[in-house]
Amino acid sequence: QVQLVESGGGLVQAGGTLRLSCVASISIRSFNPMGWYRQAPGKQRELVATINGGGSTNYAASVKGRFTISRDIAKNTVYLQMNSLKPEDTAVYYCNAQPWRSTYDYWGQGTQVTVSS
C-alpha cells in the first residue's frame, strides 16, 4: 500500500511563507505526475501545482509566481514552497501521486494551512 505523508502546514500571517513536504513510501520515480491540491471550507478540491516525471511543472493561475513545487528523488519527497501567502490560500493541502500510465492515484491525509489577515 502506497502512503503519502504531508507535513509543514500551520498558521501564518499574510505575506508569510510555509514549505509543505510530501514523503512517499516508495520511490517517487514511480509516479507521473505528483502534485498538490487544496480544499477550502465549502469549496471543491482544486489543483495547486504538479510536477511530472521529467521535472516539468504546472501551476494554478492563483499561485503562479508565489508557489514553487519541487522534488528530491533521493528522499522520495515533493515540496511546495509557498511565499507571499494570502488569506485566500487557507485550505487543507493534499499531496497526490499518479503511477505512470495508470488511471488511479493516491492521496495523502492532508495538512492544514491557515493564513491570517
Side-chain angles (χ1 to χ4, degrees):
Q1 179 74 7
V2 173
Q3 290 187 323
L4 302 174
V5 180
E6 301 106 330
S7 63
L11 173 64
V12 64
Q13 288 188 329
T17 66
L18 282 174
R19 188 176 80 156
L20 306 183
S21 299
C22 170
V23 181
S25 59
I26 64 172
S27 172
I28 63 173
R29 291 184 186 275
S30 305
F31 304 118
N32 179 40
M34 291 189 73
W36 290 93
Y37 290 72
R38 66 187 181 186
Q39 188 167 18
K43 294 187 177 181
Q44 289 189 328
R45 192 171 296 188
E46 63 176 4
L47 171 72
V48 176
T50 61
I51 185 166
N52 71 12
S56 296
T57 58
N58 180 55
Y59 297 92
S62 59
V63 307
K64 210 166 189 178
R66 300 188 297 122
F67 291 10
T68 302
I69 188 170
S70 62
R71 63 184 181 177
D72 186 330
I73 293 173
K75 294 183 178 179
N76 293 335
T77 302
V78 172
Y79 302 98
L80 185 68
Q81 177 68 41
M82 304 187 294
N83 299 330
S84 303
L85 282 161
K86 304 175 181 180
E88 51 263 43
D89 295 317
T90 295
V92 178
Y93 283 70
Y94 296 91
C95 181
N96 175 269
Q98 184 171 358
W100 284 81
R101 294 181 288 278
S102 73
T103 58
Y104 59 91
D105 54 8
Y106 300 99
W107 292 92
Q109 81 287 353
T111 185
Q112 176 71 48
V113 171
T114 303
V115 184
S116 63
S117 57

